[in-house]
Amino acid sequence: VCSSDLPRWREILARTDAIPPSPGTFRILRIDQDAFEVIHELQERWLLGRSADDRGFLVEEPLDDGSRRIGRVDWRTGEVAWLVDEGFVDAFAWLGPDGSLAWSRREIEATAFDLMVRRGDGGGTWTIPAAWERSWIDPVIAPDGRTLFVLRRGDGTVELAWTRLSDERRFRDG
């Protein structure tokens, strides 16, 4: 559960004019049939992420230098592990069933996002670069773990694209 001031659209969309949010309260609850119990309460300047798995939930942390990193908060311990912390604006992450991570990345001063995938099987990190000021945003790895869906935004349009995650060549070729 997250309780904080609502983030502004510029923060949600990871725009170049985004600023770090005010600290919010993140509560991790243990829930059973009859009751719930707060097991961790964290005060952080995070944005709640778009995905979770049996190990934890994703958060994004906009930093003062304009970069943004992606972490997973452990359900049991409340500790954050920074999955992507490279000095870029990393946003809109999604966890796949095999541990793969898909997200969007851009340089701090740039406006267009590249599409990134880090394979959960140790198969490396793959990139499809932004082109013609069109951004790859909001990737989703399908439950089969082999298909990725992503929006491509630019020029006043939004397109839905998909690609395969079976190997890097198929990922780049779609």
Side-chain angles (χ1 to χ4, degrees), residues 33-45:
Q33 279 183 318
D34 302 317
F36 69 90
E37 170 189 9
V38 176
I39 58 173
H40 296 289
E41 186 167 294
L42 311 164
Q43 293 288 322
E44 298 291 346
R45 293 183 347 167

Side-chain angles (χ1 to χ4, degrees), residues 1 26-32 36-40 75:
V1 176
F26 292 78
R27 291 181 186 92
I28 300 175
L29 308 176
R30 179 177 296 123
I31 301 172
D32 64 31
F36 69 90
E37 170 189 9
V38 176
I39 58 173
H40 296 289
W75 294 115

Side-chain angles (χ1 to χ4, degrees), residues 7-20:
R8 293 171 295 245
W9 279 109
R10 63 186 180 189
E11 282 75 44
I12 293 169
L13 299 175
R15 291 184 355 196
T16 55
D17 61 346
I19 58 174

